[in-house]
């Protein structure tokens, strides 16, 4: 649910207009940041009054119930039982499947709610699934890297991984960038050792309750990587799901080769950007590489969920000033890829409002969206085609009953369109990352986070 | 570059942003006012005008003037296309989501009139561009959002009419201004309190100073215009012979001095003073009977609720309102100038709010919204508006009492406050830079004392303290006893801010207009 915030942070940047917006310079920076954060928080609060995921959908309800259940678990059980199937902890009913730091957080929230509202009715978040905290930790880590505070960044990023395994999407970028930087220094081995020490230390700290035995740790890990669920779920706009229309991956292969295939495909996909960062690490290149590596995971890794598109969105929003068109395009299709999910959760009204808000902020008065890409007319037509299709699909999906033989026809169409756009986008960002060197050798830090 | 956006375009953008927020507010809590308007929608659509003011099939009888009924009729026109049950009588008890959505959308739609007026008001009486923030302060007003789009009313539409008439007056088109104001009165008669200012201003500015014949001609013209509006509103019902019935509906006598939740005005202090005096006198040995009518229970009957102080009657409040308004009327009579009209009308509404009979807390919108337009004229105005808007918005908090809306109202107010803080400080800092050293004093005070000074700041921090008390500590200390104490504290504390605002406006009008 990190979408509305990012545009807020980036929209009000441009030069003075005839109508001076109150948050434009010379507005004081700290109150302005406060204003933006408050406005972003307001939007979240507003969305939260809508129905939440799985409301009234017995017997498993949804993500909201999962979060509530975790609070209950962590509050009442000792840490050693958190990930184990015991009489009190039935893992098939929303067993804990996030890393320990997340569990600690559940415990913390549970304590608060336990203190104030024993009935535990307060925490209502319509899509509190893609928890912004781990994205926040990652964001902190990126800020650390950009301001050359590598050790701190490594620690924060380790925390992020321990909060949600999903943060691994960014790992190749972090790894390659830090490695590339270390190799450029005087004593590469010592630098790498230092980083390794920090990372392992942080890991040990977080995993402390589970380290007493090998089994306990293994139990946690097996909960975190649920391979039994299959290579894809529903209609996620990634490679495996999109091609499954032609090649029935699930039928052709058992789990093991599929795992290997997805792993190698993912590695192949992020390899170019990885190599680039090891070879010539730069701040801007790092941001592109973050986007590329998370995209490669989204497109090719095992068991991807629709909501994971939020992970590439984070670096994309950091690149928003550099690539405004790409960003607007991406946000639109990222939201669109979650459209079936949103309809299922009955959040259509919220979807419209959020999409509207995003584009209003994107085209805020006084914005510098005047500078258009120099693309030819034909390219424009080609690009506007998927846009038009998606626009029509919005209505079709709601109004027209799909044919009996293909009940998920429109879901599949949405998936195809988004997949094609995502592939285009990642090709584009890979290209841009490699072109960085040829354009300018030294790109300074322009991003202030 | 698209950088040359004009304030009107930016205001339209701000309106679109507000509309998105309004969409997000659709599923929130709605008060019985929602049932009221839902019933009116069905009533005006299903029944002929003859029965509008006589139908009693619901407890929410129509008690607004005819123009509002026409407005409801208008909003009901597309309703059968959406859902036939929307406009059938009797209305279903538990409204389905489509009904809620439809009515919420009509509110958002009728706000277009407010947008139109704000766009017109982008230039002030001297044809200068108003700053964008002044327009945005109207369109993003958290009080308006809370009352219209959560609680459910059509104040945006009514404020649109008021602002439209103010726009005409500012531009010197007095006839149009008078006619629009007359139609506002025929939509909601609460604005009657601004009528004396309108009357005196229009008489002096439109009719006088042009010779007897021309003046008389204009007087007749204005009278004819206003009379035509009133005829359009009331003539049908006069024809049906229902005028008595209509007035009984519009002016239900027998209501108490205060609304169930006390509006933060003068009477809060009066009541509290009465309670304190009664307590002290009882301590001193006097035999003071405890009055039967209780305020805290929210039931205000006809018997005097005061133990010591004299009973307040509607006539008293009426005289007090007129008395409080007199300085402003004198000013409007002696020096009728378009550039002051917003101040005068706002002040008249403030007087009605502070001293009026059975005032609703929502009536504070009637002067905070127009005052937003002139909030950025001077630093003084900005300071005053900053305090006033926060106090008035906070006084509306008890309207949204459910847990679900709690974060929303807090975030709305905080965001708006920060917006004003950022906008005002940067605006006045920038202007003092431009105007050079001569008028640099105001700019440097922004920097030196902070923006509002320590008294204002401690007042605002007091609001936070009151909120903390009523949310956390009250329950700890008193348990379930004294359930109305937090509400009284809010009324009292916001009342201080309101009284300050009234006095500030009075002083300003006496000195500067």
């Amino acid at each position: 649910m990190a979408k509305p915030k990012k545009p807020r942070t980036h929209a009000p940047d441009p030069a003075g207009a005839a109508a001076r917006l109150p948050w434009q310079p010379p507005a004081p920076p700290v109150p302005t940041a406060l204003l933006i954060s408050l406005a972003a928080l307001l939007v979240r609060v507003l969305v939260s009054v809508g129905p939440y995921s799985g409301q009234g959908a017995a017997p498993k309800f949804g993500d909201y119930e999962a979060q509530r259940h975790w609070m209950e678990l962590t509050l009442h059980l000792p840490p050693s039982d958190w990930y184990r199937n015991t009489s009190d902890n039935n893992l098939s009913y929303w067993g804990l499947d996030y890393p320990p730091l997340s569990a600690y957080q559940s415990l913390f929230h549970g304590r608060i709610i336990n203190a104030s509202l024993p009935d535990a009715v307060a925490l209502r978040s319509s899509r509190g699934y893609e928890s912004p905290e781990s994205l926040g930790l990652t964001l902190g880590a990126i800020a650390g890297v950009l301001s050359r505070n590598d050790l701190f960044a490594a620690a924060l990023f380790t925390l992020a991984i321990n909060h949600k395994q999903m943060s691994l999407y960014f790992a190749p970028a972090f790894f390659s960038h830090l490695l590339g930087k270390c190799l450029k220094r005087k004593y590469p081995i010592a630098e790498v050792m230092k980083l390794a020490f920090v990372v392992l230390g942080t890991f040990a700290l977080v995993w402390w309750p589970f380290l007493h035995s090998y089994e306990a740790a293994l139990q946690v890990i097996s909960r975190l990587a649920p391979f039994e669920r299959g290579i894809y779920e529903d209609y996620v706009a990634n490679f495996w799901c999109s091609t499954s229309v032609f090649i029935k991956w699930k039928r052709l292969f058992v789990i093991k080769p599929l795992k290997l295939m997805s792993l190698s495909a993912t590695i192949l996909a992020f390899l170019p950007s990885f190599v680039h960062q090891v070879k010539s690490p730069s701040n801007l290149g790092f941001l592109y590489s973050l986007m590329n590596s998370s995209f490669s995971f989204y497109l090719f890794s095992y068991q991807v969920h629709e909501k994971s598109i939020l992970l590439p969105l984070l670096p994309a929003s950091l690149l928003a000033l550099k690539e405004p068109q790409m960003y607007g395009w991406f946000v639109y299709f990222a939201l669109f890829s979650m459209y079936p999910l949103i309809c299922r959760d009955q959040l259509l009204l919220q979807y419209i409002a959020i999409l509207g808000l995003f584009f209003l902020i994107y085209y805020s008065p006084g914005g510098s969206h005047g500078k258009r890409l120099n693309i030819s007319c034909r390219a424009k037509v080609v690009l506007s085609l998927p846009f038009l299709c998606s626009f029509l699909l919005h209505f079709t999906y709601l109004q027209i009953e799909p044919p009996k033989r293909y009940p998920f026809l429109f879901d599949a169409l949405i998936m195809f369109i988004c997949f094609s756009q995502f592939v285009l986008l990642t090709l584009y960002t890979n290209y841009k990352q490699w072109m960085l060197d040829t354009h300018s050798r030294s790109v300074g830090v322009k991003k202030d986070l | 570059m698209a950088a040359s956006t004009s304030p009107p375009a930016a205001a339209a953008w701000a309106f679109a942003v507000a509309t998105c927020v309004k969409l997000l507010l659709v599923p929130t809590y709605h008060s019985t006012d929602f049932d009221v308007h839902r019933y009116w929608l069905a009533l005006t659509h299903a029944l002929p005008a003859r029965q509008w003011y006589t139908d009693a099939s619901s407890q929410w009888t129509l008690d607004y003037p005819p123009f509002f009924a026409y407005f409801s009729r208008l909003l009901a026109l597309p309703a059968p296309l959406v859902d036939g049950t929307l406009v059938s009588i009797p209305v279903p008890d538990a409204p389905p989501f489509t009904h809620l959505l439809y009515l919420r959308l009509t509110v958002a739609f009728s706000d277009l009139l407010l947008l139109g007026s704000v766009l017109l008001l982008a230039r002030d009486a001297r044809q200068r561009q108003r700053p964008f923030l002044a327009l945005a302060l109207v369109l993003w007003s958290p009080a308006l959002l809370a009352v219209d789009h959560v609680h459910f009313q059509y104040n945006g539409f009514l404020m649109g009419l008021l602002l439209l008439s103010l726009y005409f007056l500012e531009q010197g088109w007095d006839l149009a201004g008078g006619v629009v104001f007359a139609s506002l009165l025929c939509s909601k008669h609460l604005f009657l309190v601004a009528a004396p200012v309108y009357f005196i201003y229009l008489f002096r500015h439109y009719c006088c100073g042009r010779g007897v014949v021309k003046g008389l001609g204009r007087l007749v013209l204005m009278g004819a215009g206003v009379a035509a509006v009133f005829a359009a509103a009331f003539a049908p019902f006069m024809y049906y012979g229902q005028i008595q019935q209509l007035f009984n509906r519009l002016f239900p006598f027998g209501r108490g001095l205060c609304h169930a939740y006390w509006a933060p005005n003068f009477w809060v202090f009066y009541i509290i003073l009465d309670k304190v005096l009664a307590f002290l006198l009882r301590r001193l040995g006097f035999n003071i009977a405890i009055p039967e009518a209780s305020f805290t229970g929210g039931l205000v009957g006809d018997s005097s609720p005061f133990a010591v102080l004299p009973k307040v009657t509607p006539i008293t409040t009426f005289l007090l309102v007129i008395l409080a308004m007199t300085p402003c009327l004198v000013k409007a009579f002696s020096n009728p100038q378009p550039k002051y009209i917003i101040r005068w009308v706002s002040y008249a509404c403030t007087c009605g709010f502070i001293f009026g009979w059975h005032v609703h807390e929502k009536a504070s919108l009637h002067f905070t919204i127009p005052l937003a337009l002139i909030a950025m004229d001077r630093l003084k105005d900005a300071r005053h508006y900053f305090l006033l808007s926060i106090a008035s918005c906070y006084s509306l908090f008890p309207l949204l009492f459910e847990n679900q809306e709690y974060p929303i109202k807090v975030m709305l107010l905080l965001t708006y406050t920060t917006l004003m803080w950022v906008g005002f400080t940067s605006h006045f800092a920038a202007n003092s830079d431009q105007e050079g050293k001569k008028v640099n004093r105001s700019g440097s005070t922004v920097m030196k004392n902070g923006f509002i000074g320590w008294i204002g700041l401690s007042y605002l921090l007091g609001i936070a303290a009151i909120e903390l008390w009523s949310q956390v500590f009250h329950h700890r200390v008193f348990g379930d006893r004294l359930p109305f104490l937090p509400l009284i504290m809010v009324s009292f504390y916001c009342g201080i801010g309101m009284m300050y605002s009234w006095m500030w406006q009075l002083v300003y009008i006496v000195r500067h207009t």
Side-chain angles (χ1 to χ4, degrees):
Chain A
M1 208 19 282
K3 282 143 284 146
K5 185 165 102 199
K6 296 306 173 255
R8 267 280 182 208
T9 355
H10 291 293
D13 66 290
R20 208 185 63 74
L21 300 184
W23 47 84
Q24 281 173 345
V30 175
T32 309
L34 183 68
L35 171 66
I36 291 163
S37 330
L38 283 174
L41 209 59
L42 173 67
V43 172
R44 281 163 180 64
V45 165
L46 286 172
V47 173
S48 76
V49 291
Y52 47 84
S53 164
Q55 188 173 24
K60 282 193 88 170
F61 301 100
D63 298 334
Y64 163 69
E65 166 59 17
Q67 298 280 1
R68 199 204 56 73
H69 179 63
W70 291 349
M71 279 184 214
E72 183 187 315
L73 280 184
T74 49
L75 197 61
H76 297 298
L77 296 180
S80 52
D81 283 349
W82 284 357
Y83 292 91
R84 261 201 316 195
N85 210 351
T86 62
S87 57
D88 291 333
N89 186 2
N90 177 7
L91 283 183
S92 63
Y93 181 79
W94 293 121
L96 206 53
D97 57 2
Y98 277 5
L101 200 62
S102 246
Y104 298 149
Q105 192 196 353
S106 281
L107 173 64
F108 177 67
H109 286 175
R111 284 242 167 96
I112 293 177
I113 291 177
N114 204 25
S116 55
L117 285 169
D119 300 335
V121 287
L123 191 90
R124 279 193 174 197
S125 176
S126 62
R127 284 174 287 172
Y129 193 87
E130 201 62 37
S131 43
E133 289 88 355
S134 57
L135 286 181
L137 285 172
T138 313
L139 193 64
I142 296 171
V145 169
L146 291 183
S147 54
R148 314 221 151 80
N149 211 337
D150 292 347
L151 291 180
F152 184 61
L156 273 183
F157 184 65
T158 318
L159 284 180
I161 290 184
N162 277 311
H163 191 271
K164 262 192 100 159
Q165 62 272 42
M166 229 72 106
S167 305
L168 271 176
Y169 281 30
F170 296 125
F174 271 94
F175 185 73
S176 62
H177 182 75
L178 293 178
L179 184 70
K181 260 178 161 174
C182 288
L183 293 180
K184 288 248 156 36
R185 297 238 173 88
K186 227 175 176 182
Y187 308 105
I189 305 293
E191 296 282 341
V192 172
M193 291 295 282
K194 257 202 282 185
L195 279 176
F197 179 73
V198 167
V199 170
L200 291 179
T202 321
F203 255 106
L205 219 61
V206 176
W207 285 65
W208 194 248
F210 310 100
L211 282 184
H212 57 90
S213 79
Y214 179 69
E215 270 168 43
L218 214 61
Q219 175 69 35
V220 177
I221 290 174
S222 75
R223 287 291 309 159
L224 300 188
F227 282 109
E228 67 273 16
R229 281 202 223 160
I231 191 159
Y232 55 82
E233 273 182 315
D234 296 348
Y235 283 85
V236 57
N238 74 354
F239 175 76
W240 304 113
C241 197
S242 304
T243 48
S244 71
V245 177
F246 314 107
I247 311 165
K248 299 285 170 217
W249 301 103
K250 279 183 180 172
R251 239 180 282 157
L252 285 176
F253 302 97
V254 285
I255 287 180
K256 203 147 191 204
L258 272 183
K259 265 196 250 181
L260 263 180
M261 278 160 67
S262 76
L263 184 67
S264 44
T266 313
I267 292 177
L268 269 181
F270 71 65
L271 206 59
S273 111
F274 188 89
V275 171
H276 173 262
Q277 274 306 294
V278 176
K279 211 175 62 137
S280 56
S282 70
N283 280 333
L284 201 56
F286 173 57
L287 290 181
Y288 277 111
S289 148
L290 279 174
M291 180 147 175
N292 291 330
S293 79
S294 49
F295 242 139
S296 64
F297 272 93
Y298 178 81
L299 291 177
F300 295 108
S301 75
Y302 199 88
Q303 246 284 314
V304 174
H305 197 274
E306 286 102 316
K307 284 165 270 184
S308 306
I309 195 62
L310 295 182
L311 290 149
L313 255 181
L314 173 78
S317 52
L318 296 178
L319 282 167
L321 285 186
K322 192 85 189 154
E323 305 265 355
Q325 280 84 16
M326 183 276 285
Y327 181 56
W329 195 252
F330 183 26
V331 168
Y332 174 74
F333 280 102
L335 270 175
F336 183 53
S337 75
M338 290 188 280
Y339 187 64
L341 196 72
I342 276 162
C343 288
R344 207 186 315 144
D345 286 347
Q346 297 175 353
L347 287 167
L348 187 64
L349 198 67
Q350 282 76 5
Y351 176 83
I352 296 171
I354 291 292
L355 197 63
L357 264 184
F358 171 74
F359 279 101
L360 282 169
I361 293 162
Y362 187 75
Y363 289 109
S364 72
S368 60
H369 40 77
K371 47 176 185 198
R372 285 262 157 263
L373 270 178
N374 294 324
I375 42 174
S376 66
C377 229
R378 264 169 63 192
K380 262 186 193 162
V381 171
V382 171
L383 275 179
S384 57
L385 203 65
F387 181 76
L388 201 72
C389 291
S390 68
F391 192 73
L392 289 177
L393 264 176
H394 272 122
F395 299 101
T396 323
Y397 190 81
L398 286 182
Q399 289 300 327
I400 299 177
E401 197 72 14
K404 282 260 159 52
R405 249 190 92 199
Y406 307 105
F408 293 107
L409 177 72
F410 297 129
D411 297 68
L413 280 176
I414 290 178
M415 173 190 75
F416 274 130
I417 293 178
C418 292
F419 174 65
S420 65
Q421 296 312 305
F422 292 156
V423 168
L424 276 181
L425 275 169
T426 191
L427 286 178
Y428 173 74
T429 46
N430 266 305
Y431 168 78
K432 287 290 272 195
Q433 189 187 348
W434 274 90
M435 285 302 110
L436 277 179
D437 296 334
T438 53
H439 282 314
S440 56
R441 279 273 155 203
S442 56
V443 183
V445 200
K446 279 189 210 148
K447 285 279 125 8
D448 43 333
L449 292 166
Chain B
M1 289 294 283
S4 56
T5 336
S6 58
W13 174 84
F15 180 77
V17 170
T19 308
C20 289
V21 171
K22 290 167 194 171
L23 282 184
L24 288 175
L25 285 172
V26 166
T28 50
Y29 150 86
H30 48 83
S31 69
T32 51
D33 278 352
F34 170 75
D35 300 309
V36 171
H37 288 287
R38 189 163 60 103
Y39 167 67
W40 291 0
L41 206 68
L43 171 76
T44 51
H45 191 272
L47 298 182
R50 189 188 287 276
Q51 292 175 35
W52 286 357
Y53 285 95
T54 54
D55 183 75
S57 67
S58 158
Q59 56 170 323
W60 317 115
T61 49
L62 180 60
D63 58 2
Y64 272 29
F67 269 12
F68 198 89
Y70 300 159
F71 173 64
S72 270
R73 178 78 184 78
L74 206 66
L75 295 181
L77 277 181
L81 301 176
V82 182
D83 187 351
T85 58
L86 252 171
V87 284
S88 61
I89 283 203
V91 286
D93 276 340
F97 183 73
T98 38
H99 289 198
L100 180 65
L101 183 64
Y102 182 81
L103 271 120
R104 290 270 198 223
L105 289 182
T106 59
V107 182
F109 173 76
S110 63
D111 278 354
L112 279 174
L113 183 67
L114 180 68
L115 173 68
S117 306
V118 166
L119 289 182
L120 290 174
L121 279 160
R123 291 189 173 276
D124 67 6
R126 286 172 239 179
Q127 299 303 319
R128 293 175 310 183
Q129 205 58 262
R130 282 205 162 93
F132 161 72
L133 182 60
L135 310 179
L137 285 180
V138 175
L139 296 172
W140 287 346
S141 163
L144 203 56
L145 281 176
V147 174
D148 274 17
H149 300 276
V150 182
H151 180 83
F152 204 93
Q153 282 194 348
Y154 289 91
N155 285 295
F157 165 73
L158 297 170
M159 295 317 299
L161 273 180
L162 178 67
L163 293 188
L164 186 65
S165 94
L166 288 175
Y167 162 74
F168 285 137
L169 293 191
E170 270 201 341
Q171 300 300 319
W173 301 333
D174 291 345
L175 185 61
V179 166
V180 172
F181 182 68
S183 40
L184 174 66
L185 282 185
C186 293
S187 303
K188 174 124 189 186
H189 48 301
L190 264 183
F191 287 94
L192 212 56
V193 72
V197 171
Y198 267 91
F199 180 76
I200 296 220
Y201 173 82
L202 286 177
F203 178 72
R204 285 285 295 157
H205 190 254
Y206 185 64
C207 305
C208 293
R210 290 179 173 82
V212 179
V213 179
K214 204 171 177 192
L216 264 180
R218 286 190 160 204
L219 190 63
V220 170
L221 194 63
M222 178 66 79
V226 173
V229 171
F230 274 87
F234 291 98
F237 302 97
M238 211 178 281
Y239 173 73
Y240 300 138
Q242 294 172 351
I243 218 68
Q244 185 61 41
Q245 163 76 5
L246 204 162
F247 276 87
N248 287 346
R249 285 274 181 90
L250 294 192
F251 301 99
F253 289 103
R255 289 203 207 172
L257 173 64
C258 288
H259 190 53
Y261 160 63
W262 303 352
N265 62 9
F266 175 75
W267 301 116
V268 172
F269 299 99
Y270 192 80
I271 294 167
I272 289 178
L273 181 66
D274 180 69
K275 299 269 179 218
V276 170
L277 279 181
F279 178 75
L280 288 180
L281 289 177
R282 245 175 254 136
R283 272 293 165 88
L284 291 174
F286 290 91
N287 182 22
I288 307 283
I290 297 171
E292 278 174 31
S294 123
F295 282 103
T296 47
L299 300 163
V300 186
D302 281 337
S303 63
S304 170
F306 296 103
V308 185
L309 294 176
K311 185 182 175 184
V312 180
T313 61
I315 299 295
T316 336
T317 61
F318 176 73
L319 289 178
L320 263 177
V321 171
I322 293 292
L323 186 70
M325 222 185 279
T326 311
C328 165
L329 297 179
V330 170
K331 288 286 181 181
F333 189 84
S334 57
N335 184 22
Q337 288 208 32
K339 62 182 176 186
Y340 298 133
I341 190 66
I342 291 186
R343 267 178 215 286
W344 288 334
V345 170
S346 308
Y347 177 71
C349 290
T350 314
C351 292
F353 180 81
I354 296 282
F355 298 106
W357 181 261
H358 195 88
V359 173
H360 283 232
E361 65 286 349
K362 287 157 256 172
S364 63
L365 281 174
H366 299 171
F367 53 95
T368 47
I369 297 292
L371 281 174
L373 287 168
I374 50 172
M376 295 179 77
D377 286 5
R378 293 150 203 253
L379 184 60
K380 278 196 236 170
D381 287 309
R383 279 190 181 138
H384 165 250
Y385 181 75
F386 189 75
L387 280 179
L388 169 67
S389 62
I390 294 174
S392 82
C393 180
Y394 180 65
S395 75
L396 295 176
F397 266 28
L399 274 183
L400 319 179
F401 55 88
E402 290 193 351
N403 278 339
Q404 181 182 246
E405 282 74 27
Y406 187 75
I408 294 183
K409 61 184 182 184
V410 173
M411 290 311 300
L412 274 174
L413 180 56
L414 282 181
T415 312
Y416 192 71
T417 307
T418 327
L419 175 73
M420 286 194 288
W421 178 29
V422 169
F424 288 162
T425 44
S426 69
H427 177 82
F428 289 105
N431 281 12
S432 66
D433 284 349
Q434 282 168 8
E435 286 162 23
K437 279 176 187 161
K438 200 178 162 194
V439 268
N440 206 4
R441 257 178 302 140
S442 63
S444 62
T445 38
V446 177
M447 298 305 137
K448 215 191 294 167
N449 292 347
F451 168 57
I452 40 168
W454 64 271
I455 301 182
L457 191 67
S458 38
Y459 177 76
L460 294 181
L461 288 177
I463 288 189
I466 297 243
E467 186 58 20
L468 199 67
W469 165 265
S470 56
Q471 288 299 319
V472 182
F473 295 109
H474 180 81
H475 192 71
R476 294 268 163 92
V477 176
F478 292 110
D480 289 336
R481 284 174 299 138
L482 299 176
F484 293 98
L485 184 65
L487 290 184
I488 295 176
M489 282 167 70
V490 172
S491 288
F492 179 78
Y493 201 75
C494 294
I496 298 175
M498 290 298 183
M499 291 297 281
Y500 161 77
S501 163
W502 168 67
M503 281 185 265
W504 184 91
Q505 289 184 56
L506 177 64
V507 170
Y508 191 98
I509 284 174
V510 170
R511 280 207 193 139
H512 298 288
T513 66

